[in-house]
Structures are given as structure tokens and as C-alpha cells.
């Protein structure tokens, strides 16, 4: 889910399971501009597509967008096999691109397996936040655990 920066993070990374597990629910004001960004299809018209290679799943997803004429708020995540296109995307990081994912076109979907690789534009880390000084929306300091 991508949301206008005026209302929060540009891209929400929570899955439904993560949101339920940690009690994080993101409320989007009705006036906010939000889009659903699709990058894969795991079920199509009642058919489990997880055993299909990514190349076939991606083609099916593109067909759904074309056949139904889907437009905003439905967005098809850009995809390419061209290294020059990837370089161009990564040089435009001011628009909020965190990085790119690399997937093998012949791979089936494997739940709970991090088979895809990610190249991040910026180096980040994860930590458990024990306390915050300042407000949650503009913290001045963090106590990490």
C-alpha cells in the first residue's frame, strides 16, 4: 500500500499478519491518496498459482491489469530484466525508492523462504525500540534493545 507522504510513510511494509500480531493498524484519512501496488499474484480465479514460475505469475498479473483496464488506485509494480533500467530507477531515489528486489524468473513462490534478494539504496538496520524521547511522529532519541 502506498500513501501520499502528507499522511504517513510512503510505503507500508506491514502484512496483515504482522499488523494483527503487533497491534499496528494504519488509519488512512479519507482525503489521503492511497494506492494498492501489486507485484505478484498467488491466486487467480480460484487457482493456486504459487507453484507457477514467477515469469508465468507476472504475465498473469499483467494480463489481469490489461484485461480489466485497471488504473489508480490499482498500480502494477514496475518490473524489468534490463540492468540499464534498474540503474535509472536507482538514480531517481529521491522519489522514495528503497531499493530493488531480484527474483529468479523460473522460481515458484515459496512461503516463508526469503529466496528473493534485495539491493538497498541506503543501508538500514532493524532494532527493538524500548523508549522514545520527543513525539512518536518526530522522535529526538531512541532507546534501542
Amino acid at each position: 500500500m502506498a500513501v501520499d507522504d502528507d499522511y504517513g510513510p510512503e510505503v507500508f511494509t506491514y502484512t496483515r499478519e504482522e499488523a494483527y500480531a503487533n497491534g499496528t493498524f494504519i488509519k488512512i484519512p479519507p482525503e489521503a491518496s492511497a494506492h494498492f501496488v501489486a507485484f505478484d499474484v498467488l491466486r487467480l480465479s480460484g487457482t493456486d498459482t504459487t507453484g507457477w514460475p514467477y515469469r508465468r505469475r507476472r504475465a498473469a498479473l499483467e494480463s489481469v491489469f490489461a484485461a480489466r483496464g485497471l488504473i489508480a488506485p490499482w498500480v502494477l509494480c514496475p518490473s524489468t530484466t534490463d540492468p540499464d533500467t534498474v540503474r535509472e530507477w536507482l538514480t531517481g531515489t529521491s522519489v522514495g525508492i528503497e531499493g530493488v528486489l531480484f527474483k529468479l524468473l523460473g522460481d515458484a513462490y515459496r512461503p516463508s523462504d526469503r529466496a528473493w534478494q534485495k539491493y538497498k539504496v541506503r543501508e538500514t538496520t532493524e532494532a527493538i525500540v524500548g523508549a522514545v524521547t520527543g513525539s512518536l511522529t518526530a522522535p529526538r532519541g531512541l532507546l534501542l534493545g
Side-chain angles (χ1 to χ4, degrees):
M1 177 74 68
V3 177
D4 185 334
D5 274 341
D6 292 341
Y7 297 99
E10 182 177 21
V11 178
F12 296 132
T13 58
Y14 293 108
T15 64
R16 181 176 58 170
E17 291 77 18
E18 289 170 328
Y20 283 114
N22 67 21
T24 304
F25 295 94
I26 300 165
K27 294 187 181 192
I28 303 170
E31 68 274 10
S33 173
H35 293 81
F36 179 84
V37 183
F39 65 91
D40 202 347
V41 62
L42 304 180
R43 191 162 193 78
L44 182 62
S45 300
T47 300
D48 178 2
T49 63
T50 59
W52 297 0
Y54 177 69
R55 176 185 297 110
R56 183 175 173 195
R57 294 192 321 272
R58 177 65 189 202
L61 182 61
E62 290 174 1
S63 293
V64 167
F65 269 76
R68 300 195 178 176
L70 295 176
I71 58 172
W74 303 97
V75 179
L76 183 60
C77 185
S79 179
T80 187
T81 57
D82 178 35
D84 290 334
T85 301
V86 173
R87 281 187 205 92
E88 184 180 323
W89 289 345
L90 293 173
T91 59
T93 58
S94 63
V95 296
I97 294 175
E98 182 181 323
V100 293
L101 285 175
F102 295 90
K103 307 174 188 182
L104 294 175
L105 294 174
D107 273 4
Y109 177 79
R110 297 181 302 220
S112 303
D113 185 3
R114 299 200 178 238
W116 302 343
Q117 298 203 358
K118 185 174 189 177
Y119 172 80
K120 293 183 179 184
V121 175
R122 297 173 233 9
E123 192 58 40
T124 61
T125 190
E126 294 184 17
I128 297 171
V129 178
V132 176
T133 58
S135 71
L136 291 177
T137 56
R140 289 190 325 261
L142 304 173
L143 174 63
L144 303 179

